[in-house]
Amino acid sequence: MVHHQFAALGDPTRLAIVERLVRGPSSAGDLAAPTTLSLPAVLKHVRVLEEAGLVTTVKRGRVRECRLREDALVAVATWTAQQQALWSARLDALGTLLEDT
């Protein structure tokens, strides 16, 4: 699941949406306002984030409210920390090997 989340965050527009939602829930219209994207284009990006499990949406009347799923970001952060530790250890071992030769 985390790999799917990273793929969703790989797009700058979707990353900007997540960064905005860190500050709190927002309507899809408010997410679209500071961009040059149309509302349907922003909704497509939100749908990708929703399918990745990063965002939830609720439609209230004509307004679609978007919220960040904080538990999903915790999973991403945990995986990233594990990968950082793994690759730091591997690179340290490589450095030691190169110094010894």
Side-chain angles (χ1 to χ4, degrees):
M1 180 69 155
V2 172
H3 298 290
H4 188 60
Q5 292 167 336
F6 271 107
L9 292 172
D11 181 89
T13 300
R14 290 191 289 268
L15 185 57
I17 289 170
V18 168
E19 288 173 347
R20 166 52 191 89
L21 293 176
V22 165
R23 296 192 309 261
S26 178
S27 71
D30 288 343
L31 291 174
T35 71
T36 58
L37 298 174
S38 66
L39 181 59
V42 169
L43 286 172
K44 285 182 182 181
H45 285 290
V46 168
R47 195 169 307 117
V48 171
L49 291 168
E50 196 170 19
E51 289 170 1
L54 294 166
V55 170
T56 60
T57 63
V58 175
K59 189 161 184 176
R60 293 193 173 101
R62 295 177 57 187
V63 176
R64 181 164 298 279
E65 182 182 81
C66 306
R67 289 180 178 269
L68 193 61
R69 287 195 51 207
E70 293 178 24
D71 58 327
L73 289 183
V74 170
V76 170
T78 300
W79 184 86
T80 303
Q82 291 168 344
Q83 293 301 308
Q84 180 182 8
L86 172 73
W87 284 101
S88 290
R90 287 180 177 176
L91 291 173
D92 288 346
L94 178 61
T96 301
L97 179 68
L98 293 174
E99 287 174 2
D100 291 345
T101 57

